[in-house]
mmCIF file of all heavy atoms in Angstrom:
data_model
loop_
_atom_site.group_PDB
_atom_site.id
_atom_site.type_symbol
_atom_site.label_atom_id
_atom_site.label_comp_id
_atom_site.label_asym_id
_atom_site.label_seq_id
_atom_site.Cartn_x
_atom_site.Cartn_y
_atom_site.Cartn_z
ATOM 1 N N THR A 305 -0.694 19.008 16.700
ATOM 2 C CA THR A 305 -0.359 19.964 17.765
ATOM 3 C C THR A 305 1.026 19.616 18.326
ATOM 4 O O THR A 305 1.483 18.484 18.224
ATOM 5 C CB THR A 305 -1.408 19.958 18.907
ATOM 6 O OG1 THR A 305 -1.404 18.681 19.550
ATOM 7 C CG2 THR A 305 -2.803 20.284 18.406
ATOM 8 N N GLY A 306 1.667 20.619 18.885
ATOM 9 C CA GLY A 306 3.015 20.407 19.416
ATOM 10 C C GLY A 306 4.025 20.173 18.302
ATOM 11 O O GLY A 306 4.973 19.399 18.450
ATOM 12 N N ALA A 307 3.821 20.877 17.180
ATOM 13 C CA ALA A 307 4.670 20.652 16.003
ATOM 14 C C ALA A 307 5.971 21.460 16.046
ATOM 15 O O ALA A 307 6.722 21.485 15.074
ATOM 16 C CB ALA A 307 3.882 20.982 14.730
ATOM 17 N N THR A 308 6.236 22.138 17.162
ATOM 18 C CA THR A 308 7.446 22.972 17.233
ATOM 19 C C THR A 308 8.647 22.225 17.801
ATOM 20 O O THR A 308 9.744 22.784 17.851
ATOM 21 C CB THR A 308 7.188 24.205 18.124
ATOM 22 O OG1 THR A 308 6.735 23.756 19.404
ATOM 23 C CG2 THR A 308 6.163 25.139 17.510
ATOM 24 N N SER A 309 8.443 20.991 18.244
ATOM 25 C CA SER A 309 9.535 20.301 18.947
ATOM 26 C C SER A 309 9.325 18.792 18.923
ATOM 27 O O SER A 309 8.199 18.316 18.730
ATOM 28 C CB SER A 309 9.551 20.806 20.406
ATOM 29 O OG SER A 309 10.500 20.114 21.170
ATOM 30 N N GLY A 310 10.396 18.059 19.094
ATOM 31 C CA GLY A 310 10.342 16.615 19.338
ATOM 32 C C GLY A 310 9.527 15.805 18.350
ATOM 33 O O GLY A 310 9.673 15.937 17.133
ATOM 34 N N ILE A 311 8.640 14.967 18.896
ATOM 35 C CA ILE A 311 7.865 14.017 18.080
ATOM 36 C C ILE A 311 6.941 14.758 17.106
ATOM 37 O O ILE A 311 6.789 14.367 15.948
ATOM 38 C CB ILE A 311 7.029 13.082 18.998
ATOM 39 C CG1 ILE A 311 7.950 12.265 19.923
ATOM 40 C CG2 ILE A 311 6.158 12.149 18.173
ATOM 41 C CD1 ILE A 311 7.219 11.476 21.022
ATOM 42 N N GLY A 312 6.332 15.854 17.568
ATOM 43 C CA GLY A 312 5.408 16.608 16.714
ATOM 44 C C GLY A 312 6.125 17.250 15.534
ATOM 45 O O GLY A 312 5.626 17.225 14.399
ATOM 46 N N LEU A 313 7.287 17.803 15.815
ATOM 47 C CA LEU A 313 8.097 18.430 14.753
ATOM 48 C C LEU A 313 8.529 17.380 13.727
ATOM 49 O O LEU A 313 8.384 17.586 12.507
ATOM 50 C CB LEU A 313 9.320 19.108 15.386
ATOM 51 C CG LEU A 313 10.346 19.751 14.455
ATOM 52 C CD1 LEU A 313 9.730 20.854 13.604
ATOM 53 C CD2 LEU A 313 11.517 20.319 15.264
ATOM 54 N N ALA A 314 9.028 16.256 14.215
ATOM 55 C CA ALA A 314 9.467 15.175 13.307
ATOM 56 C C ALA A 314 8.274 14.661 12.500
ATOM 57 O O ALA A 314 8.408 14.380 11.302
ATOM 58 C CB ALA A 314 10.103 14.039 14.117
ATOM 59 N N SER A 315 7.114 14.569 13.143
ATOM 60 C CA SER A 315 5.915 14.072 12.445
ATOM 61 C C SER A 315 5.477 15.059 11.359
ATOM 62 O O SER A 315 5.090 14.645 10.262
ATOM 63 C CB SER A 315 4.771 13.838 13.434
ATOM 64 O OG SER A 315 5.132 12.866 14.382
ATOM 65 N N ALA A 316 5.530 16.347 11.679
ATOM 66 C CA ALA A 316 5.139 17.362 10.683
ATOM 67 C C ALA A 316 6.009 17.222 9.431
ATOM 68 O O ALA A 316 5.499 17.232 8.299
ATOM 69 C CB ALA A 316 5.281 18.762 11.288
ATOM 70 N N LYS A 317 7.292 17.039 9.629
ATOM 71 C CA LYS A 317 8.212 16.906 8.483
ATOM 72 C C LYS A 317 7.951 15.593 7.737
ATOM 73 O O LYS A 317 7.977 15.543 6.511
ATOM 74 C CB LYS A 317 9.658 16.961 8.972
ATOM 75 C CG LYS A 317 10.063 18.348 9.457
ATOM 76 C CD LYS A 317 11.483 18.323 9.961
ATOM 77 C CE LYS A 317 11.934 19.688 10.474
ATOM 78 N NZ LYS A 317 13.162 19.601 11.262
ATOM 79 N N PHE A 318 7.705 14.524 8.502
ATOM 80 C CA PHE A 318 7.490 13.210 7.893
ATOM 81 C C PHE A 318 6.220 13.220 7.030
ATOM 82 O O PHE A 318 6.224 12.763 5.886
ATOM 83 C CB PHE A 318 7.382 12.136 8.984
ATOM 84 C CG PHE A 318 7.587 10.743 8.477
ATOM 85 C CD1 PHE A 318 8.841 10.154 8.489
ATOM 86 C CD2 PHE A 318 6.522 10.019 7.953
ATOM 87 C CE1 PHE A 318 9.029 8.863 7.998
ATOM 88 C CE2 PHE A 318 6.699 8.736 7.460
ATOM 89 C CZ PHE A 318 7.956 8.152 7.493
ATOM 90 N N TYR A 319 5.142 13.753 7.594
ATOM 91 C CA TYR A 319 3.878 13.805 6.846
ATOM 92 C C TYR A 319 4.023 14.669 5.594
ATOM 93 O O TYR A 319 3.489 14.337 4.537
ATOM 94 C CB TYR A 319 2.759 14.347 7.740
ATOM 95 C CG TYR A 319 2.017 13.278 8.516
ATOM 96 C CD1 TYR A 319 2.491 12.810 9.733
ATOM 97 C CD2 TYR A 319 0.833 12.726 8.022
ATOM 98 C CE1 TYR A 319 1.806 11.830 10.442
ATOM 99 C CE2 TYR A 319 0.146 11.742 8.729
ATOM 100 C CZ TYR A 319 0.634 11.309 9.934
ATOM 101 O OH TYR A 319 -0.040 10.329 10.634
ATOM 102 N N ALA A 320 4.743 15.786 5.732
ATOM 103 C CA ALA A 320 4.929 16.673 4.573
ATOM 104 C C ALA A 320 5.700 15.941 3.480
ATOM 105 O O ALA A 320 5.354 16.027 2.290
ATOM 106 C CB ALA A 320 5.652 17.946 4.994
ATOM 107 N N ALA A 321 6.725 15.181 3.886
ATOM 108 C CA ALA A 321 7.523 14.430 2.911
ATOM 109 C C ALA A 321 6.681 13.361 2.216
ATOM 110 O O ALA A 321 6.977 12.960 1.092
ATOM 111 C CB ALA A 321 8.726 13.782 3.609
ATOM 112 N N LYS A 322 5.611 12.928 2.878
ATOM 113 C CA LYS A 322 4.723 11.907 2.298
ATOM 114 C C LYS A 322 3.588 12.532 1.494
ATOM 115 O O LYS A 322 2.661 11.847 1.071
ATOM 116 C CB LYS A 322 4.135 11.026 3.407
ATOM 117 C CG LYS A 322 5.158 10.138 4.080
ATOM 118 C CD LYS A 322 5.606 9.017 3.159
ATOM 119 C CE LYS A 322 6.576 8.091 3.882
ATOM 120 N NZ LYS A 322 7.091 7.031 2.963
ATOM 121 N N GLY A 323 3.625 13.834 1.326
ATOM 122 C CA GLY A 323 2.647 14.499 0.460
ATOM 123 C C GLY A 323 1.444 15.091 1.164
ATOM 124 O O GLY A 323 0.525 15.576 0.505
ATOM 125 N N PHE A 324 1.431 15.035 2.482
ATOM 126 C CA PHE A 324 0.319 15.656 3.223
ATOM 127 C C PHE A 324 0.501 17.170 3.280
ATOM 128 O O PHE A 324 1.627 17.673 3.342
ATOM 129 C CB PHE A 324 0.289 15.138 4.672
ATOM 130 C CG PHE A 324 -0.548 13.910 4.877
ATOM 131 C CD1 PHE A 324 -0.024 12.652 4.616
ATOM 132 C CD2 PHE A 324 -1.851 14.006 5.338
ATOM 133 C CE1 PHE A 324 -0.781 11.516 4.824
ATOM 134 C CE2 PHE A 324 -2.621 12.882 5.548
ATOM 135 C CZ PHE A 324 -2.083 11.614 5.289
#
Side-chain angles (χ1 to χ4, degrees):
T305 64
T308 55
S309 175
I311 299 171
L313 176 60
S315 299
K317 290 178 181 166
F318 198 92
Y319 270 85
K322 291 289 183 183
F324 270 83

